[in-house]
Each structure stands twice: as structure tokens, then as C-alpha cells.
Amino acid sequence: MTASTEAGAKRKLYLEDLAVGDRFQSGEHVLDVAQIKAFAQQFDPQPFHTDEEAAKATFFGGLAASGWHTAALTMKLLVDSGIPLADGIIGSGGELQWPRPTRPGDVLHVVSEVVEITPSRSKPGRAMVTMRCQTLNQRGEVLQSFTPKLVVHSRPASA
Amino acid sequence: MTASTEAGAKRKLYLEDLAVGDRFQSGEHVLDVAQIKAFAQQFDPQPFHTDEEAAKATFFGGLAASGWHTAALTMKLLVDSGIPLADGIIGSGGELQWPRPTRPGDVLHVVSEVVEITPSRSKPGRAMVTMRCQTLNQRGEVLQSFTPKLVVHSRPASA
């Protein structure tokens, strides 16, 4: 691990600072029932995300967070403390997996690793950086795996 | 198109009701600056999502919605009117792409198509249904493409 949580949260990284295999770990987010319901009521109003009783009789067997809630919280963790890119975390998408439901009481954190760095052919000083971002709970269970392609720029002459 | 918006919003579909090539169209969501900033402040607090002035000097050249906001609104449209599955929209993930930024004033709708139906080998009455869900704006520009794998069940004997 070349960048610890502490150092990672303070440094601002450019393309030159990244290498395949670099890892970053975010801070934590504690998820509760109220947050799960509030997000679901706004964006994913299905019984297994909004109603603890109704959720028992569903596929999930109990209240679960919307996958998009897990995804949004992952982004919050990445922005706040996860991947300290100088120009921000700018992605064009990637493969997204939710291997198990996120539950009330889960404490989320994100571990990210640089998988591939592909310099732009047309734009000098820019690269597409593929990361693998795994969102884990307090038991180390993977709640989400996302492999975004991020746009990362070189350090400007003045920086 | 085997299920129109009107019919799609009212019918409740089981596995037997789906065929490769079936298409569904959701209702619309009108996005404005306030929504973009509110989501971003909670989940993706980066200047290009939270501050119109600061956004001008960034990669996006102006305020853009978080990709996760586009994704969450897509889910809302799918749940409300997009894919009327009887047991809900339950996905394990998929390939997610944001080919262009979502902007203030964009009016979103989602067009979904059944791409593949793979019956479960171990669980009779269940299949993995791959859909292609494209989120478009009022000019027909694709803002997001997502190809989720959904868990879909057969009609129970009583239904």
C-alpha cells in the first residue's frame, strides 16, 4: 500500500503519482434504517428498501439498501477520503456488481486499487486509469465492486 | 414494442410475459440545478457538481449532475413506470456507462429492452434477465447506458 488513509486524504495526486497496484483506503460511513428508507423513498421506492415488515416476505428477506444507495455512498467515501486525485474523480462508467445486500447497521469503507493506466493517444498529459473499488462492511464482506475508468491529468507546470 | 408506456405501467409482468426484444419506455423526470446540487452535496461533493461558477473551469465546462444522480433517477423512472416486474426490479449489477454529462434542464426518460433470458439451472421458476436500459434526454441523447442482470420469477400458481 503506497498511500495510507491519512496520507491519501491530504495529498493531491496527479497522473505521475499513480502506478499500477497502488491502493487507497477510505474512511467509514455508518448506515442506518432511516438513511436506507430516505434514499429509497426518493430514488428506489420498492418495499424491500422502504418497509422493514414488507421486506421480510421478499427476495431480500429483510430491509436492504438500494444498490444505488451503496453506489452513492461509495462515491461519497471516495470523494471525501478514498482517492485523492487533484482534478477530482471523473469517471465514464465501468462494471458494477452488488454481490450481497447492504443492510442497516453496516459500516462501509472503500478499498481502491489502480488496475491499469492507459495514456491518451490524442491528448498528451491525460490517461484513462482503471481502478477496482471494493465497498466492504465491518466484517470485510464485499457489498459492491466497481471498476471505473477515470480521467486523470498530469501535473500542470505550475503545480 | 410489445408493452407500451401506458400498458407497461399498469401490467405486472412475470417471467412468462417477457421475451427477448421486448421494449419498455418510462415516464419523464425534469432535472434542475437545485436537484443536481442537493444530490451532489450529499453524495458527490465535487465543484463540477455543486457550484456553477467553479464548474466552468473544470473538465465538464459547467455544472453537470453526478453520474450517480443520473443512475438514481434512472432507477426511480424504472420503478415508477419503466419495467413493470411483478416482484420488483432486483439487479445484481451490470455494465454502466455515462457517454455524456447530464445537465440542468435535461428531461430524462428510460428506454429498456430485454437482451437475454437465462433460466436458472438450480432454481426452477427463476431466470436471469439481461436488459439494456438507456437513459435519454429530451434531444434523444444517451446520458447513461446500463445493462443490468435482473432476477425475475415465474408467475406463482395463485397469480
Side-chain angles (χ1 to χ4, degrees), chain B residues 28-82:
Chain B
E28 295 182 341
H29 182 92
V30 181
L31 191 61
D32 62 23
V33 167
Q35 293 170 55
I36 288 174
K37 289 183 180 178
F39 185 97
Q41 278 151 12
Q42 194 173 0
F43 296 114
D44 193 351
Q46 304 192 88
F48 34 79
H49 300 320
T50 60
D51 185 319
E52 289 150 292
E53 277 307 308
K56 291 179 186 171
T58 69
F59 179 82
F60 291 101
L63 196 72
S66 169
W68 301 109
H69 193 186
T70 302
L73 290 171
T74 297
M75 190 64 191
K76 179 68 160 66
L77 288 168
L78 290 177
V79 169
D80 283 352
S81 61

Side-chain angles (χ1 to χ4, degrees), chain A residues 85-129:
Chain A
L85 295 174
D87 292 320
I89 301 175
I90 301 173
S92 62
E95 177 68 22
L96 180 65
Q97 296 294 334
W98 297 300
R100 65 172 56 72
T102 301
R103 300 291 188 177
D106 275 357
V107 181
L108 279 57
H109 72 280
V110 188
V111 175
S112 304
E113 181 170 348
V114 177
V115 175
E116 192 176 1
I117 300 175
T118 308
S120 170
R121 289 183 195 176
S122 58
K123 292 176 179 157
R126 183 191 287 194
M128 195 65 86
V129 176

Side-chain angles (χ1 to χ4, degrees), chain A residues 53-110:
Chain A
E53 277 307 309
K56 290 180 185 170
T58 69
F59 179 83
F60 290 101
L63 196 72
S66 169
W68 302 109
H69 194 186
T70 302
L73 289 170
T74 297
M75 189 65 192
K76 179 67 158 69
L77 288 167
L78 290 177
V79 169
D80 283 353
S81 58
I83 310 177
L85 295 174
D87 292 320
I89 301 175
I90 301 173
S92 62
E95 177 68 22
L96 180 65
Q97 296 294 334
W98 297 300
R100 65 172 56 72
T102 301
R103 300 291 188 177
D106 275 357
V107 181
L108 279 57
H109 72 280
V110 188

Side-chain angles (χ1 to χ4, degrees), chain B residues 119-158:
Chain B
S120 169
R121 289 185 196 174
S122 58
K123 292 176 180 158
R126 185 191 286 193
M128 196 65 86
V129 176
T130 304
M131 311 265 322
R132 180 169 46 238
C133 303
Q134 290 202 308
T135 309
L136 303 108
N137 65 12
Q138 67 280 17
R139 290 181 296 279
E141 297 168 336
V142 179
L143 305 174
Q144 177 180 293
S145 180
F146 184 47
T147 52
K149 290 184 190 299
L150 304 180
V151 179
V152 181
H153 295 87
S154 297
R155 177 173 281 103
S158 59

Side-chain angles (χ1 to χ4, degrees), chain A:
Chain A
M1 189 172 292
T2 59
S4 74
T5 304
E6 273 302 299
K10 287 167 191 167
R11 289 177 63 201
K12 288 294 178 185
L13 305 182
Y14 290 95
L15 183 54
E16 295 82 348
D17 306 314
L18 297 178
V20 170
D22 280 358
R23 297 185 77 206
F24 305 92
Q25 181 160 336
S26 79
E28 295 182 339
H29 181 92
V30 181
L31 191 61
D32 62 23
V33 167
Q35 294 170 55
I36 288 175
K37 290 184 179 179
F39 185 97
Q41 279 151 11
Q42 194 173 1
F43 295 115
D44 193 350
Q46 304 193 86
F48 34 79
H49 300 321
T50 59
D51 185 318
E52 287 151 291
E53 277 307 309
K56 290 180 185 170
T58 69
F59 179 83
F60 290 101
L63 196 72
S66 169
W68 302 109
H69 194 186
T70 302
L73 289 170
T74 297
M75 189 65 192
K76 179 67 158 69
L77 288 167
L78 290 177
V79 169
D80 283 353
S81 58
I83 310 177
L85 295 174
D87 292 320
I89 301 175
I90 301 173
S92 62
E95 177 68 22
L96 180 65
Q97 296 294 334
W98 297 300
R100 65 172 56 72
T102 301
R103 300 291 188 177
D106 275 357
V107 181
L108 279 57
H109 72 280
V110 188
V111 175
S112 304
E113 181 170 348
V114 177
V115 175
E116 192 176 1
I117 300 175
T118 308
S120 170
R121 289 183 195 176
S122 58
K123 292 176 179 157
R126 183 191 287 194
M128 195 65 86
V129 176
T130 304
M131 313 262 324
R132 181 170 44 239
C133 303
Q134 290 202 308
T135 310
L136 303 108
N137 65 13
Q138 67 279 18
R139 291 181 294 278
E141 297 167 334
V142 178
L143 305 175
Q144 176 181 294
S145 180
F146 184 47
T147 51
K149 291 183 189 302
L150 304 180
V151 179
V152 181
H153 296 88
S154 297
R155 178 174 281 102
S158 59

Side-chain angles (χ1 to χ4, degrees), chain B residues 13-30:
Chain B
L13 305 182
Y14 290 95
L15 183 55
E16 295 82 348
D17 305 315
L18 297 178
V20 169
D22 280 358
R23 297 184 77 206
F24 305 92
Q25 181 161 335
S26 78
E28 295 182 341
H29 182 92
V30 181

